[in-house]
Amino acid sequence: MMENKRVGRHSVVTPDVVGKLEFSFINGMNVTEACFYAEISRDAYYAFARKFPEFSDRMEGLQCAVSITAKMIIAAGINAGDVRLSMWYLERRNKDEFFTR
């Protein structure tokens, strides 16, 4: 009698690997760095992302984490009345009006 065996290779993207990727992205690493840290190839990462769109969406979202935190810190400083930070922000975001030479 033949056994029911799963055909194909096991995914290298295990729950442990996903955890390392999440940690990497939350800490500002790019895909190359995250894959190195998680000990998988970029090809394996992208293949898994193509196969599981919800994984891809989550990883893309996590890659914004540091930027979101930085923006919230800047906004908090500006909202607290930090004039220097406010000017720094305006010089970068409203260059036509506030750029200094």
Side-chain angles (χ1 to χ4, degrees):
M1 186 171 172
M2 289 188 77
E3 288 183 20
N4 238 352
K5 288 194 174 187
R6 185 175 167 185
V7 179
R9 295 175 18 186
H10 293 288
S11 175
V12 296
V13 183
T14 64
D16 182 54
V17 167
V18 172
K20 287 180 179 180
L21 291 169
E22 290 174 337
F23 176 84
S24 299
F25 292 138
I26 288 169
N27 286 286
M29 294 182 204
N30 62 35
V31 172
T32 299
E33 295 163 335
C35 289
F36 180 80
Y37 179 76
E39 299 178 17
I40 63 167
S41 70
R42 287 170 39 101
D43 287 343
Y45 171 84
Y46 285 118
F48 195 81
R50 279 191 302 277
K51 189 173 181 181
F52 299 100
E54 65 279 2
F55 167 83
S56 180
D57 290 346
R58 174 148 173 78
M59 295 302 116
E60 285 183 27
L62 291 174
Q63 290 178 57
C64 299
V66 171
S67 179
I68 291 167
T69 300
K71 288 177 179 182
M72 290 171 58
I73 290 169
I74 291 168
I78 291 168
N79 291 329
D82 186 327
V83 175
R84 289 181 61 194
L85 183 58
S86 297
M87 287 305 300
W88 173 87
Y89 182 82
L90 289 171
E91 288 168 2
R92 281 154 183 78
R93 293 294 296 225
N94 298 70
K95 292 177 183 172
D96 291 342
E97 191 175 354
F98 293 97
F99 184 74
T100 59
R101 289 187 180 220

